[in-house]
Amino acid sequence: MSLPPQSMAADNCESLFEGAPVAIWEKDFFEVHEYLRSLGMDKSELRAYLLARPEAVMECLRRVRVVSTNYKARSYYGTNTEEQLIAMLPHLADKSTEETFRDELLAFAGGRTSFDAEIEVRTLDGKHRLVRMSLSILPTPERPWSRVAVVFTDLSERHEVETSLRASEWQLLDYADTLQRTNEALKRVNSDLEQFAYAAAHDLREPLRTIALCSQLLKRMQSGKPPSPAGTAVEFILDSAERMEAMVSGLLAFAQSIEPPEGPRTLRTDARLALQEAINNLDLAVREARAEFEICDLPVVAVLHTQLSQVFQNLIGNAIKYRSPDRPLRIIISCEPDGDVLRFCVEDNGQGIRQEYQEKIFGIFKRLHGRQIQGNGIGLALCRRIVEHDGGRIWVESDGESGSRFIFTVRPGNSGAQLRS
Ligand code: ADP
């Protein structure tokens, strides 16, 4: 059966009202209007009166009649029926309801036909929701204020999102703060450790020298005498003192490796010159080993000259020390760009380093060879410290038998320094 057009429109309106996504109330303020009129006051007298007498405001509130509510309005208060809601409303009014209502009355009494406020609604089950309340008086000249439309827009969800965003912001700031403090603490610990290593290494040298000198003296006193346990013990002491001296010197070099000895730090070092200096320092060993070099074009880099030279010297020195007896030593030094950084490679055809040791050898005092090859196990640790201090990385690649490729990254020299072609 089809409905007459008018009734369909009325039905549609009703379902629109009931199913609206915002809470809508229709209220009748006519009795309130009459009460205020009976007081016979002008605007400012009425303001003073209502401010002084909360009971008058409550009297007005009692005179408001709820005409109808939609589903959303009822659900705000957690009620199922309009009757239940109307019965409970007086019990939900508190100090802030009273103040907002007083402002509403004064706005309407002053001739305004609309009023907006953000209010907190207390539901029947005690929960609080933040809403924007908008009131509009519909024109009804014969019964003033008898049709007042009240619309609630829920701000709680937005408020919750904003609150949780603010909380996340605070949390992030908190993390950043903790990170910074941890960083500073780490720097302090690092610098304390450096000072400790330096002091220990420096102060240990003195007694060590004395031990070495005395054992040399004892050794000389033993010379020409037949072998004896005392002579052997002196040999051991001397040997140990020399090894310890080498380790302490290495530790000292390690502790001092980062601070430049003098002058301001330059960010433009010609890698060719640093390499040349390293090879010159190793001249005797290079000639003895008959090492052949292949040197590719090298750029200007942002590392201190002395430190880059030190890295080259350690890597080339090792290539010489750990060469293979089966083939003539060949060392290739090259460099190529890798994104923002430069990747240097010192490659040899020596004994190679097995996979399981490729990380360990960068640790302090870590050696794979016995005392037949001189060394204190500090060289690669020093290289790593220098390279990492400048923000780079160093590692080794090797098949464990036919040579090693030591690779390290550094930043290019700052005024547009690039690989020379
Ligand atoms: P050191 O040479 O004084 O022992 P390093 O820290 O320079 O100390 O090297 C650590 C160890 O790594 C060496 O003892 C050696 O066993 C191994 N190693 C370093 N470089 C090479 C290389 N080019 N070829 C083979 N082994 C190497």
Side-chain angles (χ1 to χ4, degrees), residues 318 321-322 348 353 361 366-369 375-377 379-380:
N318 282 350
K321 280 197 289 183
Y322 308 111
D348 64 51
I353 299 159
I361 53 170
K366 291 287 180 289
R367 306 198 68 218
L368 306 180
H369 289 78
N376 57 10
L380 290 179

Side-chain angles (χ1 to χ4, degrees), residues 17 23-29 67-68 104 108 113-115 133-139 145-152:
F17 173 79
I24 310 175
W25 310 61
E26 187 183 333
K27 291 185 180 178
D28 182 351
F29 276 47
V67 179
S68 59
E104 244 171 83
F108 291 159
T113 56
S114 65
F115 178 83
M133 178 181 70
S134 308
L135 285 88
S136 310
I137 301 182
L138 306 178
W145 298 9
S146 63
R147 293 198 70 192
V148 178
V150 184
V151 177
F152 279 8

Side-chain angles (χ1 to χ4, degrees), residues 213-271:
L213 277 174
C214 291
S215 32
Q216 271 161 7
L217 195 68
L218 279 173
K219 191 179 169 185
R220 245 180 275 142
M221 285 161 68
Q222 293 288 323
S223 74
K225 291 190 185 163
S228 68
T232 316
V234 168
E235 292 280 352
F236 277 136
I237 294 173
L238 190 56
D239 186 55
S240 300
E242 276 166 5
R243 269 200 301 135
M244 201 160 164
E245 161 73 19
M247 287 165 96
V248 168
S249 301
L251 207 57
L252 199 56
F254 185 82
Q256 286 176 318
S257 62
I258 292 312
E259 289 311 314
E262 78 227 7
R265 202 186 159 89
T266 170
L267 284 176
R268 284 183 57 79
T269 286
D270 190 331

Side-chain angles (χ1 to χ4, degrees), residues 23-218:
I24 310 175
W25 310 61
E26 187 183 333
K27 291 185 180 178
D28 182 351
F29 276 47
F30 178 67
E31 290 299 329
V32 180
H33 179 270
E34 292 304 291
Y35 174 76
L36 294 181
R37 196 165 59 95
S38 72
L39 296 175
M41 295 176 185
D42 67 14
K43 235 167 77 177
S44 59
E45 284 170 337
L46 187 63
R47 166 175 290 278
Y49 183 81
L50 293 182
L51 275 172
R53 289 190 174 72
E55 67 278 6
V57 177
M58 292 313 280
E59 175 56 32
C60 291
L61 194 58
R62 270 192 295 277
R63 284 167 180 252
V64 174
R65 204 166 62 79
V66 176
V67 179
S68 59
T69 56
N70 73 350
Y71 171 77
K72 196 86 183 176
R74 293 190 297 277
S75 66
Y76 263 117
Y77 285 92
T79 59
N80 295 325
T81 64
E82 207 159 85
E83 292 70 34
Q84 198 183 1
L85 176 59
I86 292 167
M88 289 307 292
L89 274 180
H91 305 288
L92 297 176
D94 57 15
K95 187 81 190 145
S96 79
T97 320
E98 179 200 307
E99 282 166 11
T100 313
F101 187 62
R102 186 189 59 222
D103 293 345
E104 244 171 83
L105 294 178
L106 290 171
F108 291 159
R112 279 174 50 190
T113 56
S114 65
F115 178 83
D116 275 278
E118 261 181 35
I119 58 166
E120 200 175 63
V121 170
R122 194 153 53 91
T123 63
L124 291 184
D125 55 9
K127 291 197 183 113
H128 290 261
R129 300 196 70 80
L130 189 69
V131 299
R132 166 161 290 283
M133 178 181 70
S134 308
L135 285 88
S136 310
I137 301 182
L138 306 178
T140 47
E142 64 293 350
R143 258 175 80 82
W145 298 9
S146 63
R147 293 198 70 192
V148 178
V150 184
V151 177
F152 279 8
T153 317
D154 194 346
L155 302 179
S156 286
E157 278 168 27
R158 200 187 73 193
H159 186 71
E160 274 159 24
V161 171
E162 280 173 4
T163 314
S164 83
L165 270 177
R166 266 200 297 275
S168 314
E169 253 173 54
W170 279 112
Q171 225 168 18
L172 271 179
L173 284 174
D174 218 36
Y175 286 149
D177 194 45
T178 314
L179 208 67
Q180 196 182 343
R181 274 186 283 121
T182 314
N183 228 347
E184 278 160 11
L186 257 176
K187 273 190 197 153
R188 273 198 303 275
V189 170
N190 236 347
S191 126
D192 286 353
L193 275 176
E194 270 163 29
Q195 280 176 26
F196 171 76
Y198 178 80
H202 188 263
D203 298 347
L204 274 174
R205 280 178 122 186
E206 248 345 278
L208 254 179
R209 270 201 204 109
T210 314
I211 296 173
L213 277 174
C214 291
S215 32
Q216 271 161 7
L217 195 68
L218 279 173

